[in-house]
């Protein structure tokens, strides 16, 4: 049990996907303009990441490895991710039309969010079992959500701040992201996985 | 052998995922046309009926079905531009103002002749944009900046003390006629 909690914490804080591994930067910059959209995006990504992580584990372990087809890994993982994203999009369009419109193009773009494929491939690399895969995917999603919402909150403050002209817009956002990344580097060494 | 099993595996996977998505597409089908809601959101929601439809939602439906986009005087130029962007149609000036001569129709606002007003509050109830202030048995007046000129308040007034007066042009309300001369795109 302890190792699962440690794995979760390690994925959320120490090996944060956005700020330490630098995966999934596109939505990190793209939908962090407002906190509400950031929360919506976080929920959608959490759903997709966890589900995709588990499904790709199943496919890798029960279909590709027994049949010796591991060279199909990337291809089939992308297939899984695309299907999960498409499913999420339909679900959201039906249940949350406002959120669906707010997220716009970034919702289908979860497909190309490299954090999703990254989690699936890292699961294979680190030889996680089923539960570990779910926790790893979920942890990656929580880390992504945490950073995205924090960043969105900072950017909402920045919108009202008196910023020098040459730093306005994306420039100050990049600087902020860099500083946040530095702060997250401080978690290194908090947890040591054997 | 590997080649064939790879093909079969991918084919079966694609088949399974395809059927899942197909099922979800039927189960989570969105009934209403989202375009109507989007147009309705752009319209000013004054429900004034100057477009010839009973309200903003019916007009939004009519636009989605192909009616002209330039029939909303309270929304003005801004609204037409937004609807043109949304529907991908050509921008056309507000209906009734596209005449070529300089003396085009000016924007009108309601004006209450205050010494005749009996303070019945009927016009306040009629105003869709809350541009009329006043209380029962006290004189009412119109906030000129808020008034959209929909003249819904004229009819309910029992003493006919509301006039629609043209709004004087000031430096604040002046609009540049930048496209007075048609510009041709040369490729």
């Amino acid at each position: 049990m302890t190792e699962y909690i440690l794995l979760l914490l390690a994925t959320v804080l120490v090996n944060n996907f956005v700020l330490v591994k630098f995966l999934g930067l596109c939505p990190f910059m793209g939908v962090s303009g407002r906190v509400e959209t950031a929360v919506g995006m976080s929920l959608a990504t959490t759903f997709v990441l966890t589900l995709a992580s588990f499904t790709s584990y199943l496919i890798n372990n029960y279909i590709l490895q027994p049949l010796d087809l591991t060279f199909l890994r990337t291809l089939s993982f992308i297939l899984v991710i695309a299907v999960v994203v498409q499913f999420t999009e339909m679900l959201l369009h039906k249940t949350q039309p406002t959120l669906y419109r707010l997220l716009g193009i970034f919702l289908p773009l979860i497909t190309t969010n490299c954090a999703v494929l990254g989690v699936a491939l890292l699961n294979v690399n680190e030889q996680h079992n089923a539960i570990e895969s779910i926790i790893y995917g979920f942890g990656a999603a929580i880390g992504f959500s945490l950073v995205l919402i924090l960043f969105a909150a900072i950017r909402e403050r920045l919108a009202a701040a008196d910023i020098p002209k040459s730093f306005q817009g994306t420039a100050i956002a990049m600087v902020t992201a860099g500083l946040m990344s530095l702060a997250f580097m401080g978690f290194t060494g908090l947890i040591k996985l054997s | 052998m590997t080649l064939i099993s790879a093909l079969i595996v991918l084919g079966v996977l694609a088949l399974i995922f395809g059927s899942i998505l197909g099922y979800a597409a039927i189960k989570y089908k969105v009934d209403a046309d989202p375009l109507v809601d989007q147009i309705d959101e752009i319209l000013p929601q004054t429900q004034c009926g100057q477009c010839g439809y009973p309200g903003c939602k019916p007009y939004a439906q009519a636009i989605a079905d192909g009616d002209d986009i330039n029939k909303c005087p309270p929304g003005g130029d801004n609204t037409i531009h937004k609807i043109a962007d949304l529907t991908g149609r050509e921008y056309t000036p507000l209906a009734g103002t596209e005449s070529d001569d300089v003396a085009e129709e000016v924007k009108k606002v309601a004006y209450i002749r205050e010494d005749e007003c009996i303070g019945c509050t009927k016009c306040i109830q009629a105003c869709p944009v809350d541009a009329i202030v006043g209380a029962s048995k006290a004189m009412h007046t119109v906030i000129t900046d808020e008034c959209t000129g929909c003249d819904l308040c004229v009819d309910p007034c029992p003493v006919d003390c509301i006039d629609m007066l043209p709004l004087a042009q000031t430096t604040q309300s002046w609009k540049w006629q930048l496209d007075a001369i048609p510009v041709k795109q040369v490729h």
Side-chain angles (χ1 to χ4, degrees), chain B residues 172-184:
Chain B
Q172 304 283 311
S173 62
W174 167 259
K175 213 164 55 199
W176 285 100
Q177 301 249 318
L178 287 179
D179 41 9
I181 305 167
V183 180
K184 227 182 233 168

Side-chain angles (χ1 to χ4, degrees), chain A residues 55 59 63-64 67-69 71-72 75-76 79-80 82-84 86-87 90-91 93-95 98 101, chain B residues 2-3 5-7 9-10 13-14 17-18 20-22 24-25 27-31 34 37-38 41:
Chain A
T55 324
I59 286 182
I63 298 177
L64 297 186
L67 292 173
D68 214 16
L69 291 171
F71 57 89
L72 284 179
L75 187 63
S76 46
L79 187 67
V80 169
V83 168
V84 174
Q86 191 63 43
F87 181 74
M90 285 176 188
L91 205 67
H93 195 177
K94 178 76 177 175
T95 52
T98 340
R101 205 165 44 241
Chain B
T2 326
L3 179 71
S5 60
L7 282 176
V9 163
L10 272 189
L13 272 184
F17 288 146
I20 291 176
L21 281 187
K27 181 125 199 267
Y28 299 113
K29 198 171 178 182
V30 178
D31 307 319
D37 285 330
Q38 284 171 354
E41 226 161 70

Side-chain angles (χ1 to χ4, degrees), chain B residues 94-171:
Chain B
L94 194 60
T97 61
E98 66 268 73
S99 51
D100 288 337
D101 43 343
V102 190
E104 56 172 320
E105 196 183 320
V106 279
K107 187 177 183 269
K108 284 182 173 174
V109 290
Y111 173 74
I112 297 176
R113 287 195 300 278
E114 296 178 345
D115 41 355
E116 290 170 39
C117 175
I118 56 170
C120 67
T121 72
K122 283 204 172 115
C123 55
I124 297 181
Q125 290 155 27
C127 182
V129 291
D130 285 339
I132 303 179
V133 287
S136 179
K137 299 209 175 109
M139 182 189 73
H140 305 335
T141 196
V142 176
I143 308 169
T144 317
D145 286 346
E146 301 283 48
C147 180
T148 59
C150 68
D151 56 30
L152 284 182
C153 52
V154 176
D155 268 348
C157 183
V159 292
D160 283 334
C161 70
I162 302 180
D163 295 323
M164 297 304 292
L165 296 182
L167 193 64
Q169 199 159 56
T170 62
T171 46

